[in-house]
Amino acid sequence: MRAVVYDQFTAEPEVRDVADPAPSDAGVVVRVETTGLCRSDAHGWLGHDDGIALPHVPGHELVGRIHAVGPAVERFRVGDRVTVPFVCACGRCAQCLAGNGQVCPNQTQPGFTHWGSYAELVALHDADVNLIPVPESLDAGAAALLGCRFATAFRGLVHRAGLRSGERLLVVGCGGVGLSAAMIGVALGAEVIAVDIDASALARAASIGVTYTIDSSGLDEAAVLARIAEAAPAGVQVSVEALGRESTMRLSLLALAPMGRQVQIGLFSSEPTLPLPRIISQELSLHGSHGMPASDYSELLDLVASGALRPQDLIEHRIGLDEAPAALVALASGDRSTGVTVIDVA
Ligand SMILES: [Zn+2]
Ligand SMILES: [Zn+2]
């Protein structure tokens, strides 16, 4: 098969022929239709993930058709169109049995614990636990984005922070996952305020129904907080930090009204300092979100099927596998100007 491979962290990835994967006993191999180019692929390539063994093939948000099935798989057949959460659970441990496969200690992650979906074929483990059937009518790009960005944002907002219709939602950082959170907030009836330093990212936010956009370039923290307070005189109930920077995490927490809930989605490569006195005195809560187990996807799929949520509207570029190495390097260099990119493999 053809795949995007890197031999060293930060060394130029290249498209080359490699051996086809075989399905594990309870796993499948999927022929990839489309896979998303996600910021965590860039973190992996930069060497921020110690689970990655070299050489490596990135890619963890995908849709495709089953190409081969392991002997222990019961619920799926060759030809089925499926997606998968980027955290694949074991289905047997205490966390999995409690419905929390997204924090399974035995988890596998395509594109991290083994080769991923920037490839014609990808192996996925524990298929009966993790595969999610995808309707034929759903756009391949939209389906791919459900594997990571939309699932992480949906679980964070709905299952962790309990966002309700009519609440004010602040989104700090309008990259792919931030815009996914904003789009879900709009679909759920929240009034969404978005902050970024990039005018094109804010224009995208406005185009998907965000009520207030705030360009924070050149503004200090107090000035940005004042702008947020103007946009939300009754306060912000839920905030999302989608960049993974100490300054924006702090801004996101300080903008919250008393009893506010923060969803932390941006990834950190070092440990940030928190404004803990404020968290205590205002009884703020801080929620991590690490994807969503396959068993919880029906609500998200219903929202997409109803037309209220259109992940495909976030896609700005559809590229081929040959263009993926350069796109991954550009993303890792901090280029946020290009919007969401998906790779159409088949
Ligand atoms: Zn488990
Ligand atoms: Zn991702």
Side-chain angles (χ1 to χ4, degrees):
M1 68 165 180
R2 297 173 78 234
V4 175
V5 186
Y6 54 86
D7 295 308
Q8 299 295 330
F9 297 117
T10 75
E12 195 81 17
E14 60 175 30
V15 178
R16 68 167 87 126
D17 286 314
V18 295
D20 288 0
S24 52
D25 251 20
V28 296
V29 169
V30 163
R31 183 166 290 281
V32 179
E33 272 181 73
T34 296
T35 185
L37 187 75
C38 175
R39 182 155 295 275
S40 40
D41 297 322
H43 275 283
W45 178 71
L46 288 167
H48 297 164
D49 190 309
D50 14 317
I52 292 177
L54 297 168
H56 186 65
V57 176
H60 60 278
E61 44 179 22
L62 66 118
V63 62
R65 284 181 195 283
I66 297 178
H67 168 77
V69 179
V73 175
E74 293 178 353
R75 295 178 48 223
F76 294 91
R77 300 280 173 275
V78 168
D80 289 353
R81 193 183 192 216
V82 293
T83 187
V84 72
F86 77 91
V87 175
C88 290
C90 77
R92 298 176 296 274
C93 72
Q95 291 298 342
C96 284
L97 294 175
N100 291 316
Q102 78 285 353
V103 290
C104 169
N106 311 314
Q107 66 189 246
T108 57
Q109 297 182 16
F112 297 99
T113 60
H114 63 283
W115 284 11
S117 52
Y118 287 23
E120 290 174 323
L121 299 170
V122 61
L124 302 170
H125 302 307
D126 296 303
D128 286 334
V129 178
N130 295 299
L131 297 189
I132 299 154
V134 172
E136 295 293 331
S137 57
L138 184 57
D139 173 79
L145 296 180
L146 299 180
C148 171
R149 275 170 268 215
F150 275 85
T152 302
F154 187 84
R155 180 174 160 74
L157 289 174
V158 177
H159 298 161
R160 300 285 281 144
L163 178 69
R164 293 183 293 273
S165 176
E167 289 191 312
R168 256 76 51 200
L169 168 67
L170 172 68
V171 176
V172 181
C174 296
V177 76
L179 288 173
S180 304
M183 195 181 245
I184 291 165
V186 170
L188 294 174
E191 189 173 282
V192 184
I193 303 154
V195 177
D196 204 288
I197 55 169
D198 183 287
S200 57
L202 291 169
R204 269 179 219 117
S207 77
I208 59 166
V210 166
T211 316
Y212 299 98
T213 57
I214 297 171
D215 187 339
S216 60
S217 52
L219 300 180
D220 64 14
E221 181 182 278
V224 182
L225 287 170
R227 295 284 305 279
I228 295 168
E230 275 169 34
V236 169
Q237 286 75 50
V238 177
S239 65
V240 172
E241 200 277 357
L243 280 175
R245 299 204 182 128
E246 186 172 305
S247 60
T248 45
M249 185 188 194
R250 190 181 141 81
L251 176 77
S252 178
L253 278 161
L254 295 180
L256 283 170
M259 312 300 292
R261 300 96 75 191
Q262 168 145 323
V263 178
Q264 184 59 42
I265 292 177
L267 300 174
F268 285 89
S269 47
S270 61
E271 290 189 13
T273 302
L274 288 172
L276 263 180
R278 174 93 177 178
I279 291 175
I280 295 165
S281 68
Q282 302 301 302
E283 293 203 352
L284 307 180
S285 52
L286 184 57
H287 300 278
S289 179
H290 194 234
M292 185 163 71
S295 52
D296 284 354
Y297 263 64
S298 58
E299 249 177 296
L300 175 58
L301 284 168
D302 288 349
L303 205 56
V304 173
S306 76
L309 190 63
R310 293 176 46 85
Q312 59 270 38
D313 290 352
L314 286 189
I315 300 171
E316 300 240 339
H317 301 281
R318 301 188 82 127
I319 62 174
L321 208 54
D322 289 322
E323 299 160 271
L328 178 63
V329 172
L331 188 65
S333 74
D335 181 2
R336 302 179 54 250
S337 63
T338 55
V340 171
T341 298
V342 298
I343 304 161
D344 289 316
V345 180

Coordinates of all heavy atoms in Angstrom, one line a residue, residues 89-97 100-101 103-107, ligand 1:
A89 N -11.1 1.5 22.4 CA -11.1 0.9 23.7 C -11.0 -0.6 23.6 O -11.2 -1.2 22.6 CB -12.4 1.3 24.4
C90 N -10.6 -1.2 24.8 CA -10.5 -2.7 24.8 C -11.9 -3.4 25.0 O -12.0 -4.5 24.6 CB -9.5 -3.1 25.9 SG -10.2 -3.1 27.6
G91 N -12.8 -2.7 25.6 CA -14.1 -3.2 25.8 C -14.2 -4.2 27.0 O -15.3 -4.7 27.3
R92 N -13.1 -4.5 27.7 CA -13.2 -5.5 28.8 C -12.8 -4.9 30.1 O -13.2 -5.6 31.1 CB -12.1 -6.6 28.4 CG -12.4 -7.3 27.2 CD -11.3 -8.3 26.8 NE -10.0 -7.7 26.6 CZ -9.7 -7.2 25.4 NH1 -10.5 -7.3 24.3 NH2 -8.5 -6.6 25.2
C93 N -12.1 -3.8 30.2 CA -11.6 -3.3 31.5 C -12.7 -2.6 32.3 O -13.8 -2.4 31.8 CB -10.4 -2.4 31.3 SG -10.9 -0.8 30.6
A94 N -12.4 -2.2 33.5 CA -13.5 -1.6 34.4 C -13.9 -0.2 33.8 O -15.1 0.1 33.8 CB -12.9 -1.3 35.8
Q95 N -13.0 0.5 33.2 CA -13.4 1.8 32.5 C -14.4 1.5 31.4 O -15.4 2.2 31.2 CB -12.2 2.6 32.1 CG -11.3 3.1 33.2 CD -12.0 4.1 34.1 OE1 -13.1 4.7 33.7 NE2 -11.5 4.3 35.3
C96 N -14.0 0.6 30.5 CA -14.8 0.3 29.4 C -16.2 -0.2 29.8 O -17.2 0.2 29.3 CB -14.2 -0.8 28.5 SG -12.8 -0.1 27.5
L97 N -16.2 -1.1 30.8 CA -17.5 -1.6 31.3 C -18.4 -0.6 31.9 O -19.6 -0.7 31.9 CB -17.3 -2.8 32.3 CG -16.6 -4.0 31.6 CD1 -16.3 -5.1 32.7 CD2 -17.4 -4.6 30.5
N100 N -16.7 4.2 29.8 CA -15.7 5.2 29.6 C -14.5 4.8 28.8 O -13.4 4.9 29.2 CB -15.3 5.8 31.0 CG -16.4 6.5 31.7 OD1 -17.1 7.4 31.0 ND2 -16.6 6.3 32.9
G101 N -14.8 4.2 27.6 CA -13.8 3.7 26.8 C -12.8 4.7 26.4 O -11.6 4.4 26.0
V103 N -11.1 6.6 28.1 CA -10.0 6.6 29.1 C -9.5 5.2 29.4 O -8.9 4.9 30.4 CB -10.3 7.4 30.4 CG1 -10.4 8.9 30.1 CG2 -11.6 6.9 31.1
C104 N -9.8 4.3 28.5 CA -9.4 2.9 28.7 C -7.9 2.8 28.8 O -7.1 3.3 28.0 CB -9.8 2.1 27.4 SG -9.1 0.4 27.3
P105 N -7.4 2.1 29.9 CA -5.9 2.0 30.0 C -5.3 1.1 29.0 O -4.1 1.2 28.8 CB -5.8 1.4 31.4 CG -7.1 0.8 31.8 CD -8.1 1.5 31.0
N106 N -6.1 0.3 28.3 CA -5.5 -0.6 27.3 C -5.8 -0.1 25.9 O -5.7 -0.8 24.9 CB -6.2 -2.0 27.4 CG -6.1 -2.5 28.8 OD1 -5.1 -2.5 29.5 ND2 -7.3 -3.0 29.3
Q107 N -6.1 1.2 25.8 CA -6.5 1.8 24.5 C -5.4 1.7 23.4 O -4.2 1.7 23.7 CB -6.9 3.3 24.7 CG -5.7 4.1 25.1 CD -6.1 5.5 25.5 OE1 -5.8 6.5 24.8 NE2 -6.8 5.7 26.6
Ligands
ZN1 ZN -10.8 -0.9 28.3

